[in-house]
Amino acid sequence: MKVLVFGASGFIGRRLVASLMRDGVGVVGADVAAPAEAGEEPCPFRVADVGDRGAVTQLVAEVRPDVIVNLAYLTGAALDADMDRATRVNLNGHV
């Protein structure tokens, strides 16, 4: 089984990726930015914005996952700073 996890660099995403990897599940992580620390990613990682439908479509076609988990979400200052982007990620990214 192969799982594509959007929001893989986030608080919950990092933990889900680690848990899946421990269980021997094939995982590809995706987020708007690479993990903060070099070498932190425990799985193949792709930079992708879940609010960009074209990028998501292309990534899904390349990865061909059995399961997609979307944990991408903007909160706090990032939410307040750019409501258009927050809508693309928090609402449209889940449709």
Side-chain angles (χ1 to χ4, degrees):
M1 175 189 293
K2 186 186 300 181
V3 179
L4 174 58
V5 179
F6 286 98
S9 292
F11 181 79
I12 297 170
R14 287 191 316 264
R15 286 154 178 79
L16 175 62
V17 167
S19 178
L20 291 170
M21 297 288 291
R22 276 193 307 274
D23 289 344
V25 175
V27 179
V28 175
D31 212 312
V32 292
E37 310 235 349
E40 183 177 308
E41 64 278 352
C43 64
F45 189 89
R46 306 284 177 81
V47 174
D49 183 345
V50 75
D52 179 343
R53 286 180 187 240
V56 169
T57 300
Q58 181 177 351
L59 181 57
V60 170
E62 289 173 13
V63 173
R64 300 180 52 89
D66 299 300
V67 176
I68 299 172
V69 178
N70 184 3
L71 298 173
Y73 206 80
L74 296 178
T75 61
L79 176 70
D80 294 334
D82 189 343
M83 288 303 292
D84 288 335
R85 180 170 178 248
T87 299
R88 278 194 324 275
V89 172
N90 295 357
L91 179 61
N92 298 341
H94 293 272
V95 175

